[in-house]
């Protein structure tokens, strides 16, 4: 059985590994250039969209519509003074930004941008993908996990308490939401029967079927595996340290987080890594849940050539930009979470729901493949069960929180119970209006005898 699976995977990936070295080099350079240009565009787009949300103008001076503003900012960063703190570990301090940015580029090597196409002015054909492998999705997850070392090492080597706290937060955040993200992808593997990115795209686009001859049957995993899609979207925002989950660089608590002590090009590399990671998780979401490079349903039904040639590049980048716009929209709309809320949401919400959903999907797949119960009834039962589980989860948690709040209202508030310099939250949560006055214990040393009587206030 294992031999059959390996031989089938080898046949499916036979289009890869046939390109000459010069074509592989051209593909790698093109991917690098596209990601850099996409980063410059995303920075400009974010500033324009957030400016619209806040009734501002945004960049509009450098270049048409301000499109060259990101390039001007990059040149400014490159020409700034490069400062290395005296307490920093110089070697690790210099290597950390490089470790953060290189995996962000490498992950795009297994993302399929389109089908096999013919090269202009030649008779050679090649897939619009650098390479693929039977475990391509696991490769993306592994390489993305390496990038977190750059953030952790950058925070540790800076010789700053705030940078160290930002790096530690980032490592804890990565572990928490990487688990939820991996569990969300298990359902995709079960349905597609493969971990290859090109095979997952092909599994989402079989021959179109219709209900009653009119209504198209959904094939994208974003619809079939909706809970997995929602969990992945939440986890990818936490994985990229973007608002409202940008706890490692919370300026209200940690000045700038792990990159507080960085300047010039080293800071620009961290900035570049963040935006390329946004593009990476968006491209992976497009590949795994939105049919990859295939055209959306209305277009593919009206135009048979929509999935041929270089047109799939348009559909792929269009879907990817939808996710990037969602990143920008969330940043301009939602406030930052508290760190305890953020970690509790990952461990107490996403991971348990993911585990229950995996069991439901595995059960549906086994019964369906054995020709048992109709899949539509199983999907409906799984949806009802998941809805009941979520409702019970939230109701039980809110009841315990209300009980804790009632007990906390009667307790005496000590401003230094959580330790210096960060006091705990007030009992019962935030206070509306003016803050309650803080009371401090008298910590002055007491003096007895004649010295006590000599103090002016006691005469």
């Amino acid at each position: 059985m294992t031999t059959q699976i390996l031989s089938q995977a080898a046949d499916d990936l036979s289009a890869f590994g046939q390109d000459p070295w010069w074509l592989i080099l051209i593909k790698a350079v093109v991917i690098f250039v596209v990601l850099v240009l996409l980063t410059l565009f995303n920075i400009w787009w974010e500033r324009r969209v957030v400016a619209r949300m806040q009734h501002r103008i945004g960049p509009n001076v450098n270049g048409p519509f301000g499109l060259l503003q990101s390039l001007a900012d990059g040149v400014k960063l490159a020409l700034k003074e490069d400062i290395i703190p005296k307490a920093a570990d110089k070697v690790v301090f210099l290597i950390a930004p490089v470790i953060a940015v290189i995996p962000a580029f490498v992950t795009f090597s297994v993302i399929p941008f389109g089908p096999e196409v013919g090269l202009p002015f030649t008779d050679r054909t090649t897939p619009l993908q650098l390479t693929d492998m039977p475990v391509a999705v696991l490769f993306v997850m592994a390489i993305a996990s390496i990038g977190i070392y750059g953030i952790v090492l950058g925070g540790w080597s800076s010789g700053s308490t705030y940078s160290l706290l930002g790096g530690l937060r980032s490592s804890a955040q990565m572990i928490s939401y990487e688990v939820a993200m991996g569990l969300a992808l298990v359902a995709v593997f079960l349905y597609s029967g493969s971990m290859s990115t090109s095979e997952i795209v092909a599994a989402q686009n079989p021959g179109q079927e219709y209900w009653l001859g009119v209504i198209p049957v959904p094939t994208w995993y974003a619809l079939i595996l909706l809970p997995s899609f929602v969990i992945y979207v939440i986890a990818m925002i936490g994985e990229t340290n973007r608002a409202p989950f940008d706890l490692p660089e919370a300026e209200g608590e940690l000045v700038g987080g792990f990159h507080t002590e960085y300047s010039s090009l080293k800071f620009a590399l961290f900035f570049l890594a963040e935006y390329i990671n946004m593009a990476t998780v968006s491209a992976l979401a497009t590949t795994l849940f939105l049919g990859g490079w295939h055209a959306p349903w209305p277009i593919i039904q009206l135009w048979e050539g929509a999935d041929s040639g270089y047109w799939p590049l348009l559909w792929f980048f269009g879907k990817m930009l939808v996710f990037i716009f969602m990143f920008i929209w969330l940043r301009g709309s939602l406030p930052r979470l508290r760190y305890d809320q953020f970690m509790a949401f990952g461990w107490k919400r996403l991971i348990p729901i993911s585990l229950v959903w995996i069991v439901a999907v595995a059960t549906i797949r086994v019964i369906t493949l054995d020709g048992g119960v109709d899949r539509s009834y199983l999907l409906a039962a799984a949806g009802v069960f998941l809805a009941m589980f979520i409702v019970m989860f939230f109701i039980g948690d809110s009841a315990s929180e209300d009980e804790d709040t009632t007990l906390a209202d009667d307790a005496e508030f000590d401003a230094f119970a959580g330790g210096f310099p960060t006091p705990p939250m007030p009992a019962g949560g935030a206070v509306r209006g003016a803050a309650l006055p803080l009371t401090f214990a008298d910590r002055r040393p007491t003096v007895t005898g004649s010295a006590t009587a000599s103090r002016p206030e006691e005469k």
Side-chain angles (χ1 to χ4, degrees), residues 179-433:
V179 173
M181 180 183 290
L183 291 175
L185 300 182
V186 172
V188 175
F189 302 152
L190 291 174
Y191 254 77
S192 63
S194 174
M195 294 184 186
S196 164
T197 50
S198 58
E199 285 301 303
I200 292 175
V201 171
Q204 294 180 77
N205 297 274
Q208 186 64 62
E209 299 179 2
Y210 293 89
W211 285 327
L212 304 176
V214 178
I215 304 174
V217 177
T219 57
W220 287 1
Y221 291 153
L223 302 175
I224 300 175
L225 305 172
L226 182 60
S228 294
F229 177 64
V230 173
I231 292 170
Y232 177 85
V233 169
I234 296 174
M236 78 179 188
I237 299 172
E239 184 76 9
T240 53
N241 298 335
R242 292 281 301 183
F245 300 153
D246 55 340
L247 279 307
E249 46 187 88
E251 72 278 356
E253 310 155 23
L254 303 178
V255 183
F258 59 90
H259 54 64
T260 299
E261 306 296 338
Y262 279 90
S263 60
S264 190
L265 274 179
K266 296 191 295 297
F267 174 78
L269 288 179
F270 277 123
F271 207 60
L272 179 65
E274 176 183 335
Y275 278 86
I276 293 180
N277 283 328
M278 284 173 52
T280 299
V281 295
S282 300
L284 194 61
T286 299
T287 301
L288 300 182
F289 292 100
L290 294 187
W293 46 265
H294 288 270
W297 165 71
I299 298 176
I300 193 62
Q301 305 311 121
L302 300 176
W303 178 23
E304 294 182 358
D307 282 347
S308 61
Y310 288 88
W311 285 106
L313 289 173
L314 178 63
W315 318 132
F316 179 85
F317 282 103
K319 297 173 185 178
M320 192 172 73
L321 289 176
V322 170
F323 284 104
I324 295 176
F325 176 77
M326 183 195 67
F327 276 104
I328 300 171
W329 188 11
L330 292 177
R331 180 170 184 174
S333 304
L334 298 180
R336 182 181 295 119
L337 273 71
R338 285 204 327 261
Y339 191 69
D340 59 326
Q341 293 174 332
F342 175 67
M343 297 301 289
F345 182 74
W347 287 102
K348 296 182 179 180
R349 300 289 192 276
L350 293 185
I351 293 177
I353 293 174
S354 300
L355 292 173
V356 173
W357 175 243
I358 288 173
V359 173
V361 171
T363 304
I364 292 173
R365 289 298 290 168
V366 169
I367 296 178
T368 303
L369 293 176
D370 290 342
V373 185
D374 188 3
R375 185 172 62 179
S376 59
Y377 294 105
L378 287 172
L379 288 173
V384 172
F385 176 75
L386 183 63
M388 293 175 59
F389 176 79
I390 294 174
V391 170
M392 293 175 62
F393 209 91
F394 278 93
I395 290 177
D397 191 71
S398 61
S400 62
E401 287 181 357
D402 293 339
E403 183 179 354
D404 294 340
T405 303
T406 305
L407 295 175
D409 289 339
D410 301 330
E412 184 179 356
F413 177 66
D414 184 1
F416 286 93
F420 182 82
T422 306
M425 290 293 293
V431 180
R432 292 183 178 272

